[in-house]
């Protein structure tokens, strides 16, 4: 059912007055670690080359992983976002290759924690904040395939150590 819904939504891509649905999976580079993202974005085509949408996204990152024979430490962050988006397509009729640019503004909920396996789970003190942020993105669509790069502009958030001190 989900695949059928995605296929029908995508078949109307870039047709004025039609809805489309994006499901994005991605890789998040992190210093000394790795992350991933998942977002769902229903969109409405206001013109053949423009759409507006609402992106619901989640991201998880594990970074600064340090292992020794005694202990392992890492910084873990998870965030969710609710963002209004706008995309502009450089559309030429009859072309399967369509570059695009986009931007958005919305709310980002951020949670950060430093994990040390030598302490008990009661000592973990996550820092949770909410911030307004923005995103910029660019990429291309080629037939049914979409590839893009996105950068989220989110203010710095606090990371607390196991004693509750901001670091």
């Amino acid at each position: 059912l989900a695949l059928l819904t995605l296929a029908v939504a995508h078949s109307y891509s870039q047709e004025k007055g039609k809805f489309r649905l994006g499901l994005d999976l991605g890789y998040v580079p992190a210093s000394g670690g790795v992350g991933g993202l998942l977002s769902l974005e229903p969109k409405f085509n206001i013109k053949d080359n423009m759409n507006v949408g609402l992106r619901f996204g989640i991201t998880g990152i594990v970074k600064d992983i340090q292992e020794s024979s005694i202990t392992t430490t890492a910084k873990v962050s998870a965030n969710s976002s609710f963002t209004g988006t706008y995309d502009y397509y450089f559309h030429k009729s009859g072309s399967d290759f369509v570059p695009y640019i986009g931007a958005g503004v919305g709310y980002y909920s951020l949670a950060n924690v430093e994990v040390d396996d030598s302490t008990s789970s009661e000592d973990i003190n996550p820092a949770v904040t909410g911030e307004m942020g923005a995103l910029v993105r660019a990429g291309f669509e080629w037939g049914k395939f979409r590839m893009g790069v996105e950068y989220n502009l989110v203010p710095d958030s606090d990371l607390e150590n196991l004693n509750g001190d901001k670091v």
Side-chain angles (χ1 to χ4, degrees), residues 134-165:
L135 68 90
V136 292
R137 60 185 173 191
F140 65 89
E141 291 184 5
W142 191 8
K144 304 272 184 201
F145 178 75
R146 178 178 168 110
M147 174 73 89
V149 175
E150 180 175 291
Y151 189 79
N152 290 270
L153 305 149
V154 183
D156 289 340
S157 60
D158 293 326
L159 176 65
E160 294 185 6
N161 64 16
L162 300 176
N163 299 322
D165 301 324

Side-chain angles (χ1 to χ4, degrees), residues 3-165:
L3 289 175
L4 180 61
T5 302
L6 290 172
V8 169
H10 194 73
S11 67
Y12 291 117
S13 64
Q14 297 321 111
E15 204 176 310
K16 181 180 176 180
K18 302 290 183 176
F19 283 96
R20 62 188 298 192
L21 181 64
L23 176 65
D24 298 330
L25 303 170
Y27 167 78
V28 179
S31 62
V34 67
L37 68 89
L38 172 69
S39 65
L40 182 66
E41 186 174 349
K43 303 176 187 183
F44 180 74
N45 295 329
I46 55 178
K47 288 191 173 184
D48 285 347
N49 65 340
M50 293 179 218
N51 63 40
V52 293
L54 292 173
R55 186 191 72 167
F56 305 93
I58 57 172
T59 305
I61 300 171
V62 178
K63 65 180 183 176
D64 296 335
I65 302 169
Q66 297 182 6
E67 295 182 82
S68 70
S69 60
I70 301 170
T71 184
T72 301
T73 62
K75 295 176 182 168
V76 180
S77 68
N79 54 52
S80 61
S81 62
F82 179 74
T83 311
T85 62
Y86 170 83
D87 290 332
Y88 179 84
Y89 292 82
F90 299 96
H91 193 271
K92 291 183 181 179
S93 58
S95 174
D96 282 343
F97 183 81
V98 183
Y100 71 89
I101 58 172
V105 175
Y107 182 78
Y108 291 77
S109 177
L110 312 164
N112 293 306
V113 67
E114 184 175 355
V115 179
D116 183 339
D117 69 357
S118 66
T119 60
S120 68
S121 62
E122 296 92 37
D123 294 332
I124 295 176
N125 189 17
V128 180
T129 58
E131 300 285 343
M132 292 300 291
L135 68 90
V136 292
R137 60 185 173 191
F140 65 89
E141 291 184 5
W142 191 8
K144 304 272 184 201
F145 178 75
R146 178 178 168 110
M147 174 73 89
V149 175
E150 180 175 291
Y151 189 79
N152 290 270
L153 305 149
V154 183
D156 289 340
S157 60
D158 293 326
L159 176 65
E160 294 185 6
N161 64 16
L162 300 176
N163 299 322
D165 301 324

